[in-house]
Amino acid sequence: MATMIAIAMGGALGALARFATTNWLHQHNSFAPVPIGTLAVNVAGAFLLGLVLSLFPVRPAESAWVAAASVGFLGSFTTFSTLSWEAITLFRSGEARAALLYVVASLALGLTGTVFGIWVGQRMAR
């Protein structure tokens, strides 16, 4: 039960952090050809998940804190569904190149962020 409460609290904080971060980035970066807010939170979240899970190499089900950070906070901070919606919206509005750029950049930067987070976490754990 404690783990479920920790996940719920982490999820609420992650959702609020995503909302605040994406709104701020969209307001201050209207020049970006892609939805920069969602891209930024997904890349940051990928990095942080790699970092957290390499620093605390236990399954989230085994630690309420790891579950709160990974499943809760980072699970609600990042969002594949919004990425998908924004890519389709770009494509439908005639911005096929921007949609493709957005999807490719999201995947490439997300994977890079995760690898970098793991790398940093492994160095910190030494």
Side-chain angles (χ1 to χ4, degrees):
M1 182 60 119
T3 299
M4 291 179 13
I5 292 170
I7 291 170
M9 290 174 33
L13 293 173
L16 291 170
R18 179 179 76 218
F19 180 78
T21 303
T22 57
N23 280 344
W24 187 87
L25 286 170
H26 285 300
Q27 289 173 357
H28 293 87
N29 294 291
S30 60
F31 63 89
V34 299
I36 195 73
T38 304
L39 178 62
V41 297
N42 284 341
V43 173
F47 167 78
L48 291 170
L49 186 63
L51 179 66
V52 166
L53 294 181
S54 65
L55 284 174
F56 305 99
V58 297
R59 293 171 22 98
E62 298 168 359
S63 166
W65 290 106
V66 173
S70 61
V71 177
F73 184 85
L74 294 171
S76 66
F77 183 66
T78 59
T79 173
F80 185 78
S81 58
T82 302
L83 180 155
S84 300
W85 176 260
E86 291 169 342
I88 295 300
T89 300
L90 283 169
F91 183 77
R92 285 183 171 170
S93 68
E95 299 289 335
R97 290 171 71 138
L100 182 61
L101 171 66
Y102 182 45
V103 170
V104 170
S106 295
L107 182 58
L109 293 172
L111 290 171
T112 301
T114 302
V115 168
F116 186 59
I118 292 168
W119 182 82
V120 170
Q122 288 173 340
R123 264 105 200 118
M124 290 174 69
R126 289 183 185 173

mmCIF file of all heavy atoms in Angstrom, residues 33-71:
data_model
loop_
_atom_site.group_PDB
_atom_site.id
_atom_site.type_symbol
_atom_site.label_atom_id
_atom_site.label_comp_id
_atom_site.label_asym_id
_atom_site.label_seq_id
_atom_site.Cartn_x
_atom_site.Cartn_y
_atom_site.Cartn_z
ATOM 1 N N PRO A 33 10.156 24.734 -34.548
ATOM 2 C CA PRO A 33 9.297 24.100 -35.553
ATOM 3 C C PRO A 33 8.561 22.869 -35.036
ATOM 4 O O PRO A 33 7.707 22.329 -35.713
ATOM 5 C CB PRO A 33 10.289 23.710 -36.654
ATOM 6 C CG PRO A 33 11.570 23.482 -35.928
ATOM 7 C CD PRO A 33 11.567 24.481 -34.788
ATOM 8 N N VAL A 34 8.896 22.421 -33.846
ATOM 9 C CA VAL A 34 8.265 21.250 -33.239
ATOM 10 C C VAL A 34 7.796 21.627 -31.839
ATOM 11 O O VAL A 34 8.249 22.623 -31.271
ATOM 12 C CB VAL A 34 9.240 20.055 -33.171
ATOM 13 C CG1 VAL A 34 9.701 19.642 -34.558
ATOM 14 C CG2 VAL A 34 10.426 20.357 -32.289
ATOM 15 N N PRO A 35 6.891 20.836 -31.240
ATOM 16 C CA PRO A 35 6.440 21.100 -29.863
ATOM 17 C C PRO A 35 7.588 20.896 -28.871
ATOM 18 O O PRO A 35 7.820 19.803 -28.367
ATOM 19 C CB PRO A 35 5.310 20.093 -29.663
ATOM 20 C CG PRO A 35 4.860 19.730 -31.036
ATOM 21 C CD PRO A 35 6.101 19.793 -31.877
ATOM 22 N N ILE A 36 8.316 21.959 -28.619
ATOM 23 C CA ILE A 36 9.553 21.906 -27.842
ATOM 24 C C ILE A 36 9.323 21.494 -26.385
ATOM 25 O O ILE A 36 10.171 20.840 -25.783
ATOM 26 C CB ILE A 36 10.307 23.266 -27.928
ATOM 27 C CG1 ILE A 36 11.749 23.119 -27.435
ATOM 28 C CG2 ILE A 36 9.586 24.362 -27.188
ATOM 29 C CD1 ILE A 36 12.629 22.387 -28.393
ATOM 30 N N GLY A 37 8.182 21.843 -25.825
ATOM 31 C CA GLY A 37 7.915 21.491 -24.433
ATOM 32 C C GLY A 37 7.841 19.991 -24.218
ATOM 33 O O GLY A 37 8.473 19.447 -23.315
ATOM 34 N N THR A 38 7.079 19.313 -25.061
ATOM 35 C CA THR A 38 6.954 17.856 -24.935
ATOM 36 C C THR A 38 8.279 17.183 -25.234
ATOM 37 O O THR A 38 8.680 16.232 -24.545
ATOM 38 C CB THR A 38 5.851 17.321 -25.870
ATOM 39 O OG1 THR A 38 4.628 18.006 -25.578
ATOM 40 C CG2 THR A 38 5.646 15.831 -25.685
ATOM 41 N N LEU A 39 8.984 17.666 -26.262
ATOM 42 C CA LEU A 39 10.293 17.108 -26.592
ATOM 43 C C LEU A 39 11.234 17.233 -25.401
ATOM 44 O O LEU A 39 11.916 16.281 -25.013
ATOM 45 C CB LEU A 39 10.873 17.798 -27.823
ATOM 46 C CG LEU A 39 12.268 17.351 -28.266
ATOM 47 C CD1 LEU A 39 12.268 15.877 -28.663
ATOM 48 C CD2 LEU A 39 12.749 18.208 -29.427
ATOM 49 N N ALA A 40 11.255 18.406 -24.780
ATOM 50 C CA ALA A 40 12.166 18.648 -23.658
ATOM 51 C C ALA A 40 11.841 17.764 -22.455
ATOM 52 O O ALA A 40 12.753 17.178 -21.860
ATOM 53 C CB ALA A 40 12.122 20.120 -23.253
ATOM 54 N N VAL A 41 10.559 17.650 -22.086
ATOM 55 C CA VAL A 41 10.248 16.825 -20.912
ATOM 56 C C VAL A 41 10.503 15.352 -21.191
ATOM 57 O O VAL A 41 10.945 14.623 -20.298
ATOM 58 C CB VAL A 41 8.807 17.037 -20.368
ATOM 59 C CG1 VAL A 41 8.611 18.457 -19.886
ATOM 60 C CG2 VAL A 41 7.750 16.633 -21.343
ATOM 61 N N ASN A 42 10.266 14.911 -22.435
ATOM 62 C CA ASN A 42 10.530 13.502 -22.749
ATOM 63 C C ASN A 42 12.021 13.187 -22.719
ATOM 64 O O ASN A 42 12.433 12.136 -22.221
ATOM 65 C CB ASN A 42 9.905 13.124 -24.084
ATOM 66 C CG ASN A 42 8.407 12.944 -23.983
ATOM 67 O OD1 ASN A 42 7.860 12.753 -22.913
ATOM 68 N ND2 ASN A 42 7.726 13.007 -25.110
ATOM 69 N N VAL A 43 12.845 14.084 -23.246
ATOM 70 C CA VAL A 43 14.298 13.851 -23.232
ATOM 71 C C VAL A 43 14.822 13.941 -21.793
ATOM 72 O O VAL A 43 15.601 13.089 -21.355
ATOM 73 C CB VAL A 43 15.027 14.836 -24.167
ATOM 74 C CG1 VAL A 43 16.535 14.726 -24.021
ATOM 75 C CG2 VAL A 43 14.620 14.578 -25.624
ATOM 76 N N ALA A 44 14.388 14.949 -21.054
ATOM 77 C CA ALA A 44 14.817 15.074 -19.653
ATOM 78 C C ALA A 44 14.357 13.871 -18.839
ATOM 79 O O ALA A 44 15.115 13.330 -18.023
ATOM 80 C CB ALA A 44 14.272 16.368 -19.045
ATOM 81 N N GLY A 45 13.130 13.441 -19.064
ATOM 82 C CA GLY A 45 12.611 12.279 -18.348
ATOM 83 C C GLY A 45 13.372 11.009 -18.684
ATOM 84 O O GLY A 45 13.620 10.177 -17.805
ATOM 85 N N ALA A 46 13.743 10.850 -19.955
ATOM 86 C CA ALA A 46 14.526 9.673 -20.355
ATOM 87 C C ALA A 46 15.880 9.676 -19.659
ATOM 88 O O ALA A 46 16.338 8.647 -19.143
ATOM 89 C CB ALA A 46 14.709 9.649 -21.873
ATOM 90 N N PHE A 47 16.521 10.843 -19.626
ATOM 91 C CA PHE A 47 17.804 10.964 -18.916
ATOM 92 C C PHE A 47 17.630 10.624 -17.439
ATOM 93 O O PHE A 47 18.383 9.835 -16.874
ATOM 94 C CB PHE A 47 18.367 12.385 -19.068
ATOM 95 C CG PHE A 47 19.500 12.671 -18.124
ATOM 96 C CD1 PHE A 47 20.774 12.183 -18.381
ATOM 97 C CD2 PHE A 47 19.281 13.399 -16.966
ATOM 98 C CE1 PHE A 47 21.814 12.426 -17.492
ATOM 99 C CE2 PHE A 47 20.317 13.650 -16.075
ATOM 100 C CZ PHE A 47 21.588 13.159 -16.346
ATOM 101 N N LEU A 48 16.631 11.228 -16.813
ATOM 102 C CA LEU A 48 16.428 11.020 -15.375
ATOM 103 C C LEU A 48 16.066 9.573 -15.049
ATOM 104 O O LEU A 48 16.500 9.046 -14.018
ATOM 105 C CB LEU A 48 15.356 11.974 -14.852
ATOM 106 C CG LEU A 48 15.771 13.443 -14.832
ATOM 107 C CD1 LEU A 48 14.573 14.337 -14.529
ATOM 108 C CD2 LEU A 48 16.891 13.673 -13.833
ATOM 109 N N LEU A 49 15.295 8.915 -15.916
ATOM 110 C CA LEU A 49 14.970 7.514 -15.663
ATOM 111 C C LEU A 49 16.225 6.641 -15.741
ATOM 112 O O LEU A 49 16.442 5.774 -14.899
ATOM 113 C CB LEU A 49 13.909 7.011 -16.648
ATOM 114 C CG LEU A 49 13.392 5.601 -16.373
ATOM 115 C CD1 LEU A 49 12.690 5.530 -15.020
ATOM 116 C CD2 LEU A 49 12.457 5.151 -17.475
ATOM 117 N N GLY A 50 17.065 6.898 -16.753
ATOM 118 C CA GLY A 50 18.333 6.179 -16.836
ATOM 119 C C GLY A 50 19.190 6.413 -15.604
ATOM 120 O O GLY A 50 19.807 5.481 -15.063
ATOM 121 N N LEU A 51 19.223 7.651 -15.130
ATOM 122 C CA LEU A 51 20.007 8.005 -13.946
ATOM 123 C C LEU A 51 19.465 7.309 -12.697
ATOM 124 O O LEU A 51 20.208 6.641 -11.965
ATOM 125 C CB LEU A 51 19.997 9.525 -13.758
ATOM 126 C CG LEU A 51 20.736 10.080 -12.552
ATOM 127 C CD1 LEU A 51 22.233 9.843 -12.687
ATOM 128 C CD2 LEU A 51 20.445 11.565 -12.396
ATOM 129 N N VAL A 52 18.176 7.448 -12.455
ATOM 130 C CA VAL A 52 17.564 6.872 -11.245
ATOM 131 C C VAL A 52 17.730 5.357 -11.216
ATOM 132 O O VAL A 52 18.134 4.787 -10.193
ATOM 133 C CB VAL A 52 16.064 7.253 -11.159
ATOM 134 C CG1 VAL A 52 15.327 6.411 -10.120
ATOM 135 C CG2 VAL A 52 15.909 8.735 -10.838
ATOM 136 N N LEU A 53 17.426 4.707 -12.341
ATOM 137 C CA LEU A 53 17.461 3.242 -12.327
ATOM 138 C C LEU A 53 18.872 2.674 -12.360
ATOM 139 O O LEU A 53 19.075 1.515 -12.013
ATOM 140 C CB LEU A 53 16.611 2.681 -13.466
ATOM 141 C CG LEU A 53 15.111 2.966 -13.327
ATOM 142 C CD1 LEU A 53 14.341 2.356 -14.490
ATOM 143 C CD2 LEU A 53 14.559 2.486 -11.989
ATOM 144 N N SER A 54 19.857 3.503 -12.736
ATOM 145 C CA SER A 54 21.232 3.017 -12.628
ATOM 146 C C SER A 54 21.800 3.292 -11.233
ATOM 147 O O SER A 54 22.640 2.535 -10.744
ATOM 148 C CB SER A 54 22.129 3.625 -13.709
ATOM 149 O OG SER A 54 22.253 5.013 -13.529
ATOM 150 N N LEU A 55 21.343 4.342 -10.593
ATOM 151 C CA LEU A 55 21.784 4.617 -9.215
ATOM 152 C C LEU A 55 21.116 3.677 -8.219
ATOM 153 O O LEU A 55 21.700 3.327 -7.191
ATOM 154 C CB LEU A 55 21.475 6.064 -8.830
ATOM 155 C CG LEU A 55 22.384 7.129 -9.408
ATOM 156 C CD1 LEU A 55 21.870 8.524 -9.053
ATOM 157 C CD2 LEU A 55 23.807 6.955 -8.903
ATOM 158 N N PHE A 56 19.885 3.307 -8.492
ATOM 159 C CA PHE A 56 19.113 2.437 -7.598
ATOM 160 C C PHE A 56 18.638 1.231 -8.403
ATOM 161 O O PHE A 56 17.484 1.170 -8.821
ATOM 162 C CB PHE A 56 17.924 3.194 -7.008
ATOM 163 C CG PHE A 56 18.321 4.458 -6.321
ATOM 164 C CD1 PHE A 56 18.201 5.685 -6.964
ATOM 165 C CD2 PHE A 56 18.848 4.432 -5.038
ATOM 166 C CE1 PHE A 56 18.581 6.855 -6.333
ATOM 167 C CE2 PHE A 56 19.233 5.596 -4.400
ATOM 168 C CZ PHE A 56 19.100 6.816 -5.057
ATOM 169 N N PRO A 57 19.542 0.283 -8.642
ATOM 170 C CA PRO A 57 19.231 -0.836 -9.545
ATOM 171 C C PRO A 57 18.320 -1.896 -8.938
ATOM 172 O O PRO A 57 18.583 -3.079 -9.017
ATOM 173 C CB PRO A 57 20.606 -1.393 -9.887
ATOM 174 C CG PRO A 57 21.438 -1.088 -8.694
ATOM 175 C CD PRO A 57 20.906 0.215 -8.153
ATOM 176 N N VAL A 58 17.254 -1.457 -8.300
ATOM 177 C CA VAL A 58 16.247 -2.389 -7.799
ATOM 178 C C VAL A 58 14.987 -2.190 -8.626
ATOM 179 O O VAL A 58 14.759 -1.115 -9.188
ATOM 180 C CB VAL A 58 15.928 -2.155 -6.300
ATOM 181 C CG1 VAL A 58 17.159 -2.394 -5.448
ATOM 182 C CG2 VAL A 58 15.375 -0.763 -6.054
ATOM 183 N N ARG A 59 14.184 -3.196 -8.702
ATOM 184 C CA ARG A 59 12.923 -3.060 -9.424
ATOM 185 C C ARG A 59 12.021 -2.095 -8.659
ATOM 186 O O ARG A 59 12.004 -2.111 -7.422
ATOM 187 C CB ARG A 59 12.263 -4.425 -9.572
ATOM 188 C CG ARG A 59 13.045 -5.370 -10.469
ATOM 189 C CD ARG A 59 12.542 -6.798 -10.467
ATOM 190 N NE ARG A 59 11.181 -7.023 -10.069
ATOM 191 C CZ ARG A 59 10.153 -7.175 -10.917
ATOM 192 N NH1 ARG A 59 10.358 -7.136 -12.201
ATOM 193 N NH2 ARG A 59 8.932 -7.379 -10.455
ATOM 194 N N PRO A 60 11.268 -1.245 -9.371
ATOM 195 C CA PRO A 60 10.388 -0.312 -8.670
ATOM 196 C C PRO A 60 9.460 -0.982 -7.653
ATOM 197 O O PRO A 60 9.152 -0.394 -6.623
ATOM 198 C CB PRO A 60 9.603 0.340 -9.813
ATOM 199 C CG PRO A 60 10.559 0.305 -10.967
ATOM 200 C CD PRO A 60 11.289 -1.012 -10.804
ATOM 201 N N ALA A 61 9.052 -2.228 -7.916
ATOM 202 C CA ALA A 61 8.170 -2.926 -6.978
ATOM 203 C C ALA A 61 8.875 -3.240 -5.652
ATOM 204 O O ALA A 61 8.218 -3.520 -4.655
ATOM 205 C CB ALA A 61 7.655 -4.222 -7.613
ATOM 206 N N GLU A 62 10.202 -3.163 -5.635
ATOM 207 C CA GLU A 62 10.963 -3.493 -4.429
ATOM 208 C C GLU A 62 11.283 -2.275 -3.563
ATOM 209 O O GLU A 62 11.790 -2.417 -2.463
ATOM 210 C CB GLU A 62 12.265 -4.201 -4.826
ATOM 211 C CG GLU A 62 12.029 -5.517 -5.553
ATOM 212 C CD GLU A 62 13.298 -6.066 -6.185
ATOM 213 O OE1 GLU A 62 14.368 -5.441 -6.084
ATOM 214 O OE2 GLU A 62 13.198 -7.141 -6.801
ATOM 215 N N SER A 63 11.026 -1.078 -4.073
ATOM 216 C CA SER A 63 11.346 0.132 -3.328
ATOM 217 C C SER A 63 10.297 1.207 -3.602
ATOM 218 O O SER A 63 10.101 1.616 -4.743
ATOM 219 C CB SER A 63 12.723 0.658 -3.747
ATOM 220 O OG SER A 63 12.917 1.972 -3.287
ATOM 221 N N ALA A 64 9.665 1.678 -2.558
ATOM 222 C CA ALA A 64 8.641 2.708 -2.718
ATOM 223 C C ALA A 64 9.239 3.991 -3.301
ATOM 224 O O ALA A 64 8.606 4.663 -4.115
ATOM 225 C CB ALA A 64 7.958 2.996 -1.384
ATOM 226 N N TRP A 65 10.469 4.325 -2.905
ATOM 227 C CA TRP A 65 11.100 5.552 -3.405
ATOM 228 C C TRP A 65 11.431 5.454 -4.885
ATOM 229 O O TRP A 65 11.215 6.396 -5.649
ATOM 230 C CB TRP A 65 12.358 5.882 -2.607
ATOM 231 C CG TRP A 65 12.039 6.320 -1.218
ATOM 232 C CD1 TRP A 65 12.203 5.602 -0.070
ATOM 233 C CD2 TRP A 65 11.448 7.557 -0.826
ATOM 234 N NE1 TRP A 65 11.763 6.317 1.009
ATOM 235 C CE2 TRP A 65 11.287 7.538 0.575
ATOM 236 C CE3 TRP A 65 11.033 8.693 -1.514
ATOM 237 C CZ2 TRP A 65 10.737 8.586 1.282
ATOM 238 C CZ3 TRP A 65 10.482 9.746 -0.804
ATOM 239 C CH2 TRP A 65 10.343 9.690 0.582
ATOM 240 N N VAL A 66 11.963 4.320 -5.304
ATOM 241 C CA VAL A 66 12.278 4.115 -6.720
ATOM 242 C C VAL A 66 10.986 4.095 -7.528
ATOM 243 O O VAL A 66 10.911 4.685 -8.611
ATOM 244 C CB VAL A 66 13.101 2.826 -6.931
ATOM 245 C CG1 VAL A 66 13.276 2.516 -8.411
ATOM 246 C CG2 VAL A 66 14.458 2.960 -6.257
ATOM 247 N N ALA A 67 9.952 3.476 -7.008
ATOM 248 C CA ALA A 67 8.658 3.448 -7.691
ATOM 249 C C ALA A 67 8.074 4.851 -7.797
ATOM 250 O O ALA A 67 7.534 5.237 -8.845
ATOM 251 C CB ALA A 67 7.692 2.518 -6.963
ATOM 252 N N ALA A 68 8.170 5.628 -6.726
ATOM 253 C CA ALA A 68 7.645 6.996 -6.748
ATOM 254 C C ALA A 68 8.369 7.842 -7.787
ATOM 255 O O ALA A 68 7.740 8.616 -8.513
ATOM 256 C CB ALA A 68 7.777 7.635 -5.371
ATOM 257 N N ALA A 69 9.687 7.676 -7.882
ATOM 258 C CA ALA A 69 10.475 8.471 -8.832
ATOM 259 C C ALA A 69 10.293 7.991 -10.262
ATOM 260 O O ALA A 69 10.071 8.805 -11.173
ATOM 261 C CB ALA A 69 11.964 8.415 -8.457
ATOM 262 N N SER A 70 10.356 6.678 -10.488
ATOM 263 C CA SER A 70 10.341 6.162 -11.867
ATOM 264 C C SER A 70 8.934 5.990 -12.410
ATOM 265 O O SER A 70 8.572 6.604 -13.423
ATOM 266 C CB SER A 70 11.113 4.843 -11.942
ATOM 267 O OG SER A 70 10.527 3.861 -11.116
ATOM 268 N N VAL A 71 8.122 5.200 -11.766
ATOM 269 C CA VAL A 71 6.765 4.946 -12.245
ATOM 270 C C VAL A 71 5.877 6.170 -12.031
ATOM 271 O O VAL A 71 5.141 6.577 -12.931
ATOM 272 C CB VAL A 71 6.160 3.712 -11.534
ATOM 273 C CG1 VAL A 71 4.725 3.482 -11.980
ATOM 274 C CG2 VAL A 71 7.013 2.478 -11.788
#
